[in-house]
Amino acid sequence: MTLNRFAAPALSALLRRTALALVVITAPVAAAADGHGIALYGDPALPADYQHLSQVNPDAPKGGIFSDGQVGSFDSLNPHILQGRTPWQLRFIAYESLLGRAYDEPFTLYGLLADSVTTNDAQTEVTFTVHPDARFSDGTPVTAEDVIWSFNILGQEGAHGRYRTAFSKVTSLEQVGERGVRFTIDAPDRELLMILGLRPVMKKAQWAEDESAFFRSGLETIPVTSAPYVITDVDAGRYVELSRDADYWGADIPFRVGTNNVDVIRMEFFGDATAHFEAFKAGELSTMRETNAARWARDYDFPAAQSGEVVLSEIPHQRPTGMTGLVMNTRRAPFDDWRVREALIQAFNFEYLNGIINGGAQPRITSYFANSPLGMQPGAADGRVAELLAPFADDLLPGAVEGYAFPETDGSARNRAGIRAATDLLAEAGYTVDDGVLTGPDGPMQIDFLLEQGSSEVQSIVDVYVEALKRLGIEASVSVVDDAQHKERVNSYDFDMVYYRWGLSLSPGNEQLAYWGPDGVETPGSRNLMGADNPAIPAMIDAMLNAESQGDYVAAIRALDRVLTSGRYVVPVWHNPISWIAHDARLTFAADRLPIYGDWIGFQPDVWWFTE
């Protein structure tokens, strides 16, 4: 069995850092101030004449079939709408944007469909110039009109919520000359100007006869896009196959050199995690990402691993932990009382569960931005963080200013200290136990956990947790539904508690409003699943977006981290400071050029390649 362990990547780059009317302006596009790329802070690390991204092998050979597996199903090929279930990878491999992200820098974008990007001094305008060679897979040119149509269609009802916040902030969108597109926003926001360059660009003419069809899920319409891969085969609910476009327009532009090396990407779907893993062991899949330390140590000694046909790679990263765990829906009682939420956190026996599921090997998530320089610091807030929080003293929960930490148990199954603490908090919130049933202002406390079929590890976590809640007199139940029902109920916030994960980056920005901003309290389809509705949250996000220095930016994120963590919205579980990836021994990557984001560079075939 071959085990590869790699050194941690450096983090020095971190501190650098309603449809709109079409208006055509015949004046030439202004000279690009930002030019070939744009960084949130400072200048792009790569010069204007760069030859390739730093994490790639520019001489990587082309060829091979990459087979990826996942649990679930699909009934749509459009990842940009709310309706239907779409393989999430299609967002990254079947579509292109004006700019592309370099994952060896916290937040820097380089030209892709656009060959230049310009912002004004006030940071309220951004102009992109479409690359003259950009083509869709059918050979037709990508035009400024396609860019404008794509932005407008993604701002309409029925499009995914991830696009709606930016749409609401754009005050004008205009064509400038033959190939230029200029966005104007309602307030200075460099990060938002950058995000506009990451919106997918689609072919307007494909939907010209019936634009409403764009919002209907289905497998009949294969999207015409400009990406390196095109969908070539689909079997409903079983697999989607994409092939590298031999005539791809951008194969030789610097951003694409050394990338998109495999010939075919095949996404296979399985009914449960066991079938998924067995398919990998049998050689039907190219990679397997493991998230459980105990399984990584125990289950990867199968024949293909012993013979060297499968390699085990441990790849470090310096991404924030994000937040993973059981989310409490504060839109409904009893989760609208923070004391109840804290009681539920106290009743969760993390150390015991970590021991039986992970062998005690995985650290607990301690805050949303932990494992990075952006995470809140231990103890009381001070300096700029304290200044930012001070105006919201009346809105903050205990621990936001003075410091908050999740409880630690002794690792025993009973968790007596946690149950006692939970009982006291529930009593303070007005709950008493009557004939073994916890009863409060709204009657008996009942909690239902919404789980998706095939989530066996989550089921194990919840099963142990349910028994602890029953000791408190809580009537706890579990609803296991298929992925379609799960998506529908999550999007409509129809749950008490649900397991969820927010992945966070080293350059948080406008997406934070979609994650926990006030619009998501009522608007369906947001990622504010908990219904967080504290005025300090949008205020900290605003301070982050308008920070004039790296120090102020970090302080605002740390203040946001304090508000979210002390809000007690999620019962957190564990995280992986190392990515565990088992893969075909012929599949390799540039181990000496690991970026700060570790292995997760959008999607593995982006920079991996096959060797004989």
Side-chain angles (χ1 to χ4, degrees):
M1 181 172 64
T2 304
L3 177 61
N4 295 331
R5 290 189 173 93
F6 302 97
L11 196 59
S12 58
L14 179 63
L15 299 180
R16 288 196 299 265
R17 309 202 38 202
T18 314
L20 299 167
L22 170 60
V23 179
V24 178
I25 299 177
T26 57
V29 179
D34 293 289
H36 70 296
I38 181 171
L40 185 59
Y41 287 99
D43 298 319
L46 300 177
D49 61 350
Y50 82 101
Q51 301 300 304
H52 57 81
L53 297 174
S54 59
Q55 70 267 23
V56 308
N57 172 11
D59 301 316
K62 307 293 185 183
I65 299 174
F66 180 95
S67 296
D68 172 66
Q70 57 193 292
V71 175
S73 186
F74 66 94
D75 58 13
S76 175
L77 298 176
N78 188 345
H80 310 305
I81 60 175
L82 288 173
Q83 190 179 93
R85 299 158 293 161
T86 308
W88 63 267
Q89 298 96 326
L90 292 183
R91 281 177 59 201
F92 302 100
I93 57 178
Y95 293 85
E96 281 191 319
S97 50
L98 292 164
L99 304 178
R101 186 167 185 175
Y103 282 90
D104 200 29
E105 302 174 58
F107 193 33
T108 298
L109 310 178
Y110 294 95
L112 185 49
L113 281 173
D115 62 0
S116 70
V117 53
T118 310
T119 59
N120 65 349
D121 291 340
Q123 298 301 296
T124 57
E125 291 182 356
V126 62
T127 302
F128 304 98
T129 306
V130 178
H131 198 293
D133 297 332
R135 296 289 185 274
F136 289 110
S137 58
D138 63 357
T140 58
V142 178
T143 68
E145 191 174 356
D146 291 313
V147 175
I148 293 170
W149 179 85
S150 297
F151 178 79
N152 280 325
I153 199 73
L154 293 176
Q156 306 308 309
E157 185 175 351
H160 198 284
R162 71 174 70 91
Y163 305 115
R164 304 293 292 278
T165 299
F167 184 85
S168 66
K169 293 185 176 184
V170 173
T171 58
S172 72
L173 173 55
E174 53 198 20
Q175 183 171 336
V176 183
E178 181 182 359
R179 296 187 289 116
V181 178
R182 178 177 297 149
F183 294 81
T184 303
I185 58 177
D186 56 6
D189 188 342
R190 184 174 179 83
E191 197 259 355
L192 176 57
L193 298 180
M194 296 174 67
I195 285 177
L196 293 172
L198 293 175
R199 290 291 178 259
V201 176
M202 297 165 287
K203 184 178 174 65
K204 176 183 177 181
Q206 184 176 17
W207 308 97
E209 291 186 7
D210 182 10
E211 197 169 89
S212 65
F214 178 81
F215 298 103
R216 294 195 292 269
S217 65
L219 304 175
E220 297 79 18
T221 302
I222 303 297
V224 177
T225 74
S226 64
Y229 292 92
V230 293
I231 297 173
T232 49
D233 194 11
V234 178
D235 190 341
R238 293 185 56 206
Y239 67 81
V240 177
E241 186 173 281
L242 300 97
S243 300
R244 187 156 50 82
D245 185 356
D247 298 319
Y248 171 55
W249 74 271
D252 297 323
I253 65 172
F255 188 82
R256 288 303 197 194
V257 171
T259 71
N260 305 303
N261 301 311
V262 301
D263 284 343
V264 176
I265 298 173
R266 187 179 174 94
M267 293 175 285
E268 302 271 3
F269 290 78
F270 299 90
D272 55 49
T274 299
H276 180 198
F277 187 53
E278 290 302 317
F280 174 68
K281 288 167 59 178
E284 297 173 14
L285 302 175
S286 302
T287 65
M288 187 78 186
R289 178 181 295 272
E290 183 55 70
T291 59
N292 182 278
R295 288 199 299 267
W296 183 248
R298 182 190 65 224
D299 296 345
Y300 286 79
D301 196 26
F302 48 86
Q306 294 173 353
S307 69
E309 296 174 76
V310 166
V311 171
L312 310 184
S313 292
E314 297 183 353
I315 305 174
H317 65 82
Q318 297 182 46
R319 304 186 298 266
T321 59
M323 181 54 67
T324 304
L326 295 162
V327 186
M328 295 173 268
N329 188 354
T330 66
R331 300 172 185 82
R332 53 176 68 174
F335 310 106
D336 54 347
D337 189 325
W338 74 267
R339 295 166 298 185
V340 173
R341 300 199 298 272
E342 175 65 19
L344 295 175
I345 290 171
Q346 291 285 344
F348 187 79
N349 195 346
F350 173 81
E351 282 70 23
Y352 174 71
L353 276 164
N354 192 28
I356 62 174
I357 293 177
N358 301 312
Q362 290 180 242
R364 188 176 200 177
I365 294 171
T366 57
S367 75
Y368 290 68
F369 289 92
N371 193 54
S372 80
L374 305 179
M376 68 180 193
Q377 303 300 292
D382 58 7
R384 181 61 178 151
V385 174
E387 292 175 7
L388 289 167
L389 294 173
F392 301 92
D394 294 339
D395 301 301
L396 299 174
L397 295 183
V401 175
E402 59 270 40
Y404 177 80
F406 292 108
E408 293 186 19
T409 72
D410 61 6
S412 65
R414 298 293 292 173
N415 186 25
R416 290 185 174 87
I419 295 297
R420 282 196 302 270
T423 300
D424 292 343
L425 285 159
L426 291 168
E428 185 181 332
Y431 289 85
T432 58
V433 177
D434 185 15
D435 290 332
V437 177
L438 185 69
T439 305
D442 300 310
M445 184 181 290
Q446 299 174 327
I447 298 177
D448 183 68
F449 293 87
L450 177 64
L451 301 183
E452 188 174 0
Q453 286 177 351
S455 52
S456 56
E457 181 175 297
V458 179
Q459 181 80 60
S460 299
I461 295 170
V462 171
D463 287 344
V464 174
Y465 191 30
V466 163
E467 292 305 311
L469 297 182
K470 288 179 178 178
R471 291 172 57 196
L472 291 169
I474 297 173
E475 297 181 22
S477 59
V478 180
S479 296
V480 180
V481 299
D482 62 34
D483 53 351
Q485 294 180 68
H486 187 270
K487 178 181 179 181
E488 181 179 351
R489 289 185 59 179
V490 168
N491 281 340
S492 61
Y493 313 126
D494 181 20
F495 60 86
D496 290 339
M497 296 182 71
V498 66
Y499 188 85
Y500 196 75
R501 179 180 186 275
W502 290 267
L504 299 176
S505 77
L506 290 165
S507 58
N510 281 278
E511 81 286 346
Q512 300 299 298
L513 288 170
Y515 291 179
W516 13 80
D519 289 348
V521 177
E522 300 295 339
T523 304
S526 84
R527 296 183 69 181
N528 186 358
L529 302 192
M530 64 276 281
D533 194 18
N534 188 316
I537 294 175
M540 297 307 109
I541 296 174
D542 183 69
M544 174 188 69
L545 295 176
N546 293 288
E548 296 184 356
S549 69
Q550 181 73 15
D552 283 348
Y553 178 73
V554 172
I557 299 168
R558 288 177 175 174
L560 174 64
D561 201 16
R562 284 176 172 268
V563 177
L564 291 172
T565 305
S566 64
R568 300 160 171 87
Y569 300 117
V570 181
V571 181
V573 291
W574 38 80
H575 71 99
N576 302 323
I578 294 175
S579 295
W580 299 308
I581 300 180
H583 57 90
D584 186 324
R586 298 169 299 168
L587 191 61
T588 189
F589 55 95
D592 59 339
R593 303 173 188 175
L594 288 177
I596 56 177
Y597 282 90
D599 73 289
W600 193 240
I601 309 167
F603 189 55
Q604 287 162 2
D606 189 26
V607 296
W608 293 46
W609 67 90
F610 278 99
T611 57
E612 291 301 325

